[in-house]
Amino acid sequence: MKIRLTLIAATLLLAQQAQAVSLPQAAALANGTSPASASQAFDALEAQSLQAEINALKGGAATLTRGQLDKASQNDTQSDKAWLKASGYDFQTKANQQAGIELLSGFSKLPDSTLQASLQTVTAINCDATQGVRHQALADAEGISYLYFLADAMGPRLGKAFLTAYDKGEIGKAAALIKASEVSTSAAKKHFNYSRPFLIKGNTIHLVPDDTVVKDNQPYTADGGSFPSGHTNTGYTDALLMAQMIPERYDSLVERGARYGYSRIVLGVHYPLDIMGSRMVTQRNVAHYLNDPRYVTLFNEAKDQLRAALEKECGTTLAECAKTVGHDDPYRSPDMKQFYRFTMSYGLAKQQGASQPLSVPAGAEVLLQSALPHLSAEKRRQLMVKTALPAGYPLSGNTPEQAFWQRLDLPAAYALGKSERTH
């Protein structure tokens, strides 16, 4: 009977994940994780996070001006840069940047029909966005140098504890390591040299005025190439590493990375393809670091400090503090897994051609290790294959690595692994 229930649960989960989410449905889910949500507790956490971000951007100044944004970075209280520097760890940035360019080489072979569909999708999301979603997008954009955006994916209770611990300097090692682990997309942007959507001739993108962070109503814009997205690379990296450190909120944090990428489309400064590409390289980069013993030593030290600080601020165990809080915890809604699935393709059409069996790169299963520690490496690899996006969507390319990193659905793999254990 137990085996039968396990199979039934797994089948239902896979069937649910296969259901397509439409563009309007995805927009509604995004709205539910913005300051326009139906939960007063969640909205209060969003407001607290935004105010903390504004205070950090201002520094010691009385007011926030646009010129301060370019100089923004975690201060010495928030981030223990001295600890990280003393470690002497080499992040191998250039090598990882080159690996990212190779991973995304399929972009150059995409047909014009896919590029046009990508432009149509960003236009639809941008023009139809609610005010709450636009406010969230602005907060996400201007807070790129900080970790504040992660709080709402932790739930009202743990989220507040996180904001307190962060600004008190109690999680300085995690703050330093996570931000240093972001592999810049600048080399890839120069390589692919693709124009942003709001610069395409005849576009109908609505540039969003900043009435949220600087509050000067200046339309938000961005410089440099569009593919892949640098902000999304930051958001996914931060969210995925934090998910490894707080596996009690694993799925919510990974989904926050996808929601952060969605914000870039809302602002009209990136295409879906840019977001999809950044997700691919981020997953690859984080797995690369987590398979390096020297990095893991730093990671564990930072993780231990983070978890101890959060328990102190919560006044209880992390497991208790991280518990789901009903409608006040929208990132714990099962629908967010379908939102994540949507952001893996944004509804773009599959490409023609025969598909190859999915091959899991060596070490990729480390991305599920902290979340599913009871499972063997082989079992985690099997989960990745079982829950993968179907073959053929844009950027899945011609190599096993390109196909895997494009098709990897971490929240679905986690949910199936958790379901099989429960039943």
Side-chain angles (χ1 to χ4, degrees), residues 181-197:
S181 301
E182 300 165 2
V183 178
S184 171
T185 59
S186 59
K189 286 177 178 290
K190 291 179 182 177
H191 175 85
F192 294 105
N193 192 29
Y194 195 67
S195 295
R196 292 180 183 268

Side-chain angles (χ1 to χ4, degrees), residues 250-271:
Y250 181 86
D251 48 350
S252 301
L253 284 162
V254 176
E255 288 154 12
R256 185 60 174 96
R259 179 65 181 80
Y260 191 97
Y262 185 89
S263 284
R264 304 305 291 161
I265 299 176
V266 168
L267 293 175
V269 296
H270 277 293
Y271 305 87

